[in-house]
Amino acid sequence: MKHSLLLSFALLCATACLAQVSLETCQRQAQHNFPLIKRRALYAQSTAFTIANLKKGWLPQVQATAQATMQNRVAELPSELNGMLTAMGRDLRGLAKEQYRVGVDVNQMLWDGGRIGAQRQVALLQQQANEAQTDVSLYQVRQRVNDLYFGILLIDERLQLNTDLQTLLLSNENKLAALQKQGVALQSDVDQLRAERLTAMQTTSELQHTRQALCQMLALFCNVDRIDSIEKPTSTDNQETAEDVRPELKVIDLQLRLVASQQRALHSSLLPTLSIFGQAYYGYPGFDMFKDMNSRSPSFNAIAGVRLAWSIGNLYTHRNNMQRLKVSLAEIENARELFLFNNRLETIKQQAAIESKRQILNSDNEIVVLRQNVRRAAEAKLANGIIDTNSLLQEITRENNAKINRSTHEVEMLQGIYNLKFIRGEPTIPKQATP
């Protein structure tokens, strides 16, 4: 009991706040908590009701009837026979023109030509196709989480660089303040560095508010109260394509199976049905018409038998319906070709973007080192009175911009790698954790 309470408390804390999360965790929780996932249960319920109704087709079909008629003519005996009976002292009044009955018809299907089984298969495949379409929408959530996640990661990099910039400006500000006390530097030089440091602090405030908004949106996707920090993903890039696992292709496969099932259902509609039936009614006239000609009292009547029914009406439209389904098959196959074509185009485009960022990063590292050297030299020149404060600020800004470019290119390369995983359909989420 104690261990159960501790486990429950731990799960509650994990749901309320994710102190530091990985991209895979965010993707898993976002897909699991996205409202659209509830449709899967609704599709299952709808299909269960449909199949339950189809199974009832094997139950006896009972129909209660009641009717009353007024006829202008009824069955009569030939006049010669009626004359002979009259001569013998038998007076038959004949059937009455007012007739009535209350009865029950019962029909029990023995063989339906496979109609119910085919319709059940169509219903199941329709459910699977709908669920697969829902999976496509849930898969798109993964891309939205990627955008938020890497947006936060990029802001984190900017915040760190901005903190380093403020530290550097404060260090030079303190040096100039010391020189100003010695009468070597002017107060305006100190004020200029202080103004730049305050501007950097304002940038930090703006970035923090932007980060807070992105974290709130990501927390909403993950169904948690807040997200404090995120882990930096690895830059592993799998060169093997896995486009055959994209949920869009699963939808196409299920649609093909659904059309094939509809073709089988269409064929089954051409077959005859075999059933047993029973009819019973109480009324007038009954099956014994000679008795009812003499006595107009109601009677109980019943009949039972076997019925073989074959409706040829479906033959009229069968050819056109089959052609329509063949067109549907061609459209679905065309959708597969179009998806694979566009997917390969996106793969080539993303691979080129990743390689471009990778090559740029190699130059970025060298640029940052060179800018650092130039900035340090400028600091030494300022201390010796060779350059002014503006020149130093320019070098500090150039160094900071070089670092920003390097971190931006690195995050963009990481995002490109995970976008490529998304395009290929590579599973970044563990299978057992997938909802």
Side-chain angles (χ1 to χ4, degrees), residues 15-205:
T15 304
C17 170
L18 295 178
Q20 187 177 35
V21 295
S22 64
L23 177 58
E24 289 76 12
T25 300
C26 288
Q27 290 175 347
R28 179 174 63 250
Q29 293 201 212
Q31 289 187 352
H32 184 69
N33 293 285
F34 199 65
L36 190 64
I37 200 172
K38 295 179 181 178
R39 286 191 181 179
R40 297 177 66 89
L42 297 177
Y43 289 142
Q45 292 177 12
S46 178
T47 303
F49 292 140
T50 300
I51 293 177
N53 288 336
L54 289 174
K55 289 181 177 179
K56 288 180 172 58
W58 293 108
L59 297 177
Q61 305 300 310
V62 181
Q63 180 181 13
T65 60
Q67 71 176 39
T69 61
M70 174 67 72
Q71 302 180 201
N72 65 333
R73 299 185 64 182
V74 292
E76 298 178 348
L77 292 175
S79 57
E80 294 82 0
L81 180 58
N82 193 24
M84 292 175 58
L85 293 174
T86 302
M88 296 172 59
R90 298 285 302 275
D91 185 15
L92 295 179
R93 294 182 294 175
L95 293 177
K97 294 183 179 180
E98 300 83 7
Q99 300 182 4
Y100 54 91
R101 66 171 59 186
V102 176
V104 175
D105 295 343
V106 180
N107 188 80
Q108 173 61 61
M109 184 71 67
L110 297 179
W111 184 68
D112 67 342
R115 289 175 176 80
I116 294 178
Q119 292 172 3
R120 178 179 179 275
Q121 187 65 23
V122 169
L124 289 173
L125 287 173
Q126 185 65 63
Q127 175 197 347
Q128 295 176 18
N130 290 336
E131 290 178 349
Q133 191 62 54
T134 301
D135 290 338
V136 172
S137 300
L138 290 173
Y139 190 74
Q140 300 302 321
V141 174
R142 174 174 161 182
Q143 183 64 45
R144 297 171 66 180
V145 170
N146 284 357
D147 294 339
L148 290 172
Y149 194 93
F150 285 103
I152 297 172
L153 185 62
L154 183 59
I155 291 179
D156 285 343
E157 296 286 337
R158 290 287 304 276
L159 284 171
Q160 182 59 50
L161 292 175
N162 207 266
T163 300
D164 295 341
L165 175 62
Q166 293 177 43
T167 302
L168 180 60
L169 289 172
L170 180 59
S171 175
N172 283 279
E173 181 184 339
N174 292 334
K175 292 178 182 178
L176 282 178
L179 293 174
Q180 189 267 336
K181 290 180 181 180
Q182 298 174 8
V184 179
L186 299 175
Q187 182 63 40
S188 60
D189 294 333
V190 179
D191 294 341
Q192 193 171 4
L193 282 172
R194 178 175 174 79
E196 288 296 327
R197 184 167 59 84
L198 291 176
T199 301
M201 293 174 64
Q202 289 179 337
T203 302
T204 297
S205 179

Side-chain angles (χ1 to χ4, degrees), residues 296-319:
R296 298 184 176 181
S297 301
S299 60
F300 176 78
N301 303 271
I303 186 175
V306 180
R307 178 185 293 120
L308 179 67
W310 191 7
S311 175
I312 63 173
N314 292 329
L315 289 172
Y316 304 146
T317 58
H318 180 74
R319 179 182 177 85

Side-chain angles (χ1 to χ4, degrees), residues 88-373:
M88 296 172 59
R90 298 285 302 275
D91 185 15
L92 295 179
R93 294 182 294 175
L95 293 177
K97 294 183 179 180
E98 300 83 7
Q99 300 182 4
Y100 54 91
R101 66 171 59 186
V102 176
V104 175
D105 295 343
V106 180
N107 188 80
Q108 173 61 61
M109 184 71 67
L110 297 179
W111 184 68
D112 67 342
R115 289 175 176 80
I116 294 178
Q119 292 172 3
R120 178 179 179 275
Q121 187 65 23
V122 169
L124 289 173
L125 287 173
Q126 185 65 63
Q127 175 197 347
Q128 295 176 18
N130 290 336
E131 290 178 349
Q133 191 62 54
T134 301
D135 290 338
V136 172
S137 300
L138 290 173
Y139 190 74
Q140 300 302 321
V141 174
R142 174 174 161 182
Q143 183 64 45
R144 297 171 66 180
V145 170
N146 284 357
D147 294 339
L148 290 172
Y149 194 93
F150 285 103
I152 297 172
L153 185 62
L154 183 59
I155 291 179
D156 285 343
E157 296 286 337
R158 290 287 304 276
L159 284 171
Q160 182 59 50
L161 292 175
N162 207 266
T163 300
D164 295 341
L165 175 62
Q166 293 177 43
T167 302
L168 180 60
L169 289 172
L170 180 59
S171 175
N172 283 279
E173 181 184 339
N174 292 334
K175 292 178 182 178
L176 282 178
L179 293 174
Q180 189 267 336
K181 290 180 181 180
Q182 298 174 8
V184 179
L186 299 175
Q187 182 63 40
S188 60
D189 294 333
V190 179
D191 294 341
Q192 193 171 4
L193 282 172
R194 178 175 174 79
E196 288 296 327
R197 184 167 59 84
L198 291 176
T199 301
M201 293 174 64
Q202 289 179 337
T203 302
T204 297
S205 179
E206 293 176 358
L207 290 173
Q208 286 175 343
H209 282 88
T210 303
R211 185 185 188 281
Q212 182 180 6
L214 292 178
C215 285
Q216 287 177 348
M217 288 189 285
L218 185 59
L220 183 62
F221 269 100
C222 297
N223 193 30
V224 295
D225 290 341
R226 73 178 191 273
I227 291 178
D228 293 334
S229 62
I230 60 175
E231 298 177 359
K232 192 172 184 178
T234 60
S235 58
T236 56
D237 182 14
N238 182 13
Q239 297 297 327
E240 296 182 2
T241 60
E243 60 186 10
D244 57 329
V245 298
R246 282 288 296 264
E248 292 88 345
L249 294 178
K250 183 179 179 181
V251 172
I252 292 174
D253 291 336
L254 287 171
Q255 288 175 341
L256 291 173
R257 292 173 56 189
L258 177 60
V259 173
S261 181
Q262 290 172 338
Q263 289 177 329
R264 291 191 292 270
L266 196 59
H267 285 303
S268 66
S269 66
L270 300 178
L271 300 177
T273 60
L274 180 65
S275 62
I276 57 175
F277 70 94
Q279 298 176 347
Y281 72 90
Y282 181 78
Y284 174 85
F287 292 151
D288 191 348
M289 299 185 65
F290 287 102
K291 177 181 178 182
D292 292 331
M293 286 181 181
N294 186 44
S295 172
R296 298 184 176 181
S297 301
S299 60
F300 176 78
N301 303 271
I303 186 175
V306 180
R307 178 185 293 120
L308 179 67
W310 191 7
S311 175
I312 63 173
N314 292 329
L315 289 172
Y316 304 146
T317 58
H318 180 74
R319 179 182 177 85
N320 290 337
N321 288 335
M322 288 297 297
Q323 292 298 325
R324 177 176 55 83
L325 292 178
K326 288 181 180 179
V327 171
S328 297
L329 287 174
E331 291 176 348
I332 297 171
E333 288 291 353
N334 179 257
R336 185 204 299 274
E337 294 175 4
L338 181 61
F339 174 81
L340 292 176
F341 179 80
N342 291 331
N343 188 272
R344 286 163 188 162
L345 284 180
E346 288 295 325
T347 299
I348 295 172
K349 178 182 176 181
Q350 199 64 52
Q351 286 175 334
I354 293 172
E355 187 59 30
S356 174
K357 298 299 179 184
R358 184 175 282 115
Q359 292 180 3
I360 291 175
L361 271 174
N362 294 331
S363 301
D364 282 336
N365 294 326
E366 184 178 358
I367 291 172
V368 169
V369 172
L370 294 174
R371 288 297 179 190
Q372 285 177 342
N373 295 336

